[in-house]
Amino acid sequence: MKGVEATATLNTSGSVDATCEATDLLTKGLVAKLEASTASNGGLLSKALATFDFKQELFTAKASYEVYKGDAHAALSTAALAGFTLGGSVDYSAQKGALTKYAAAGQFVQPEFTLCAKVSEAVGKPAGMTFAGSYFHKVSSEMQVGAELSKAMNKSDVALAFGCAYKLDKDTTVKSKVDSDGMLFGSYKAKISPMSTLTLATQIDTVKLAENNHKFGLELKIEP
């Protein structure tokens, strides 16, 4: 059938994984996918997940349902005018008969800066509803700065973080970040040859400088 693909895999454990995907189902832009797995002992299915993706130029939506767990998820986003993007998601448990998670977010994008805001909650968790925001600014072609904050309704603390990235030259970049917990992060990344890149990174606990809580790392990446 046109627009339909199906695959099946037999594993060494005796279980079978099967996938069926239909493109442009019912309407253009809608993709439906069904994934199923049999139990390794040859019994009933151990997994049955149905997913639906719908994409248009300014709108996307996704929904899924796991039959055996009873977990449902839905998310959508839309690109509004003048650089605004809005979105939201919700998780529902059929076994509990209640929402388990929800979130709503907005983003405003301009050539030199991006502003984001989000509200979310894992229902039943002690933190309660959480508000988060971030700001990114491209100061120049060499330098970028950013900040983020997060506040849980049921906690008095506000989490803050500030970061900066600076390009020393076309092959070398340094980054740093500090948060409200007193953690300082830094990295140095340089392309030392056409085939290799060196990265140095560190994490320093400025609140407990005398203690052995600091971390240092080195990575040498070689690509032929």
Side-chain angles (χ1 to χ4, degrees):
M1 185 183 299
K2 185 178 180 180
V4 177
E5 294 183 1
T7 60
T9 304
L10 176 62
N11 302 310
T12 55
S13 62
S15 63
V16 177
D17 297 330
T19 302
C20 182
E21 182 175 303
T23 303
D24 293 335
L25 181 69
L26 299 179
T27 184
K28 187 177 181 179
L30 178 61
V31 178
K33 186 176 182 180
L34 177 62
E35 300 173 80
S37 299
T38 63
S40 58
N41 58 9
L44 297 175
L45 294 176
S46 61
K47 172 185 175 182
L49 175 65
T51 305
F52 299 89
D53 279 299
F54 182 64
K55 295 182 180 181
Q56 295 294 313
E57 184 178 358
L58 300 177
F59 177 84
T60 62
K62 182 175 182 177
S64 64
Y65 182 68
E66 220 302 329
V67 177
Y68 286 89
K69 293 182 179 179
D71 293 336
H73 172 79
L76 60 87
S77 64
T78 179
L81 298 176
F84 281 100
T85 302
L86 303 174
S89 66
V90 61
D91 288 11
Y92 178 83
S93 174
Q95 295 179 352
K96 297 179 180 179
L99 294 177
T100 56
K101 294 180 182 179
Y102 66 85
Q107 179 176 264
F108 179 59
V109 179
Q110 290 297 295
E112 295 182 349
F113 71 90
T114 300
L115 183 65
C116 301
K118 179 182 178 181
V119 58
S120 61
E121 182 178 4
V123 180
K125 299 297 183 180
M129 188 180 295
T130 299
F131 299 91
S134 64
Y135 176 79
F136 167 82
H137 188 86
K138 185 177 181 181
V139 180
S140 66
S141 58
E142 293 83 22
M143 187 174 185
Q144 303 170 4
V145 297
E148 58 184 12
L149 64 85
S150 177
K151 173 68 171 69
M153 285 291 293
N154 296 337
K155 294 184 178 180
S156 59
D157 297 337
V158 178
L160 296 170
F162 301 92
C164 175
Y166 186 76
K167 184 177 291 186
L168 298 175
D169 54 48
K170 64 183 183 66
D171 295 323
T172 309
T173 303
V174 293
K175 296 180 180 181
S176 64
K177 177 183 175 182
V178 62
D179 62 27
S180 53
D181 292 327
M183 302 301 295
L184 176 63
F185 306 87
S187 70
Y188 173 90
K189 184 177 182 180
K191 188 173 183 180
I192 57 179
S193 76
M195 297 175 56
S196 58
T197 302
L198 175 68
T199 302
L200 303 175
T202 182
Q203 174 184 310
I204 300 175
D205 188 343
T206 62
V207 178
K208 302 176 182 178
L209 288 174
E211 298 185 14
N212 190 24
N213 295 328
H214 317 303
K215 298 179 181 179
F216 300 92
L218 181 150
E219 179 188 65
L220 180 61
K221 186 176 181 181
I222 300 176
E223 297 179 346

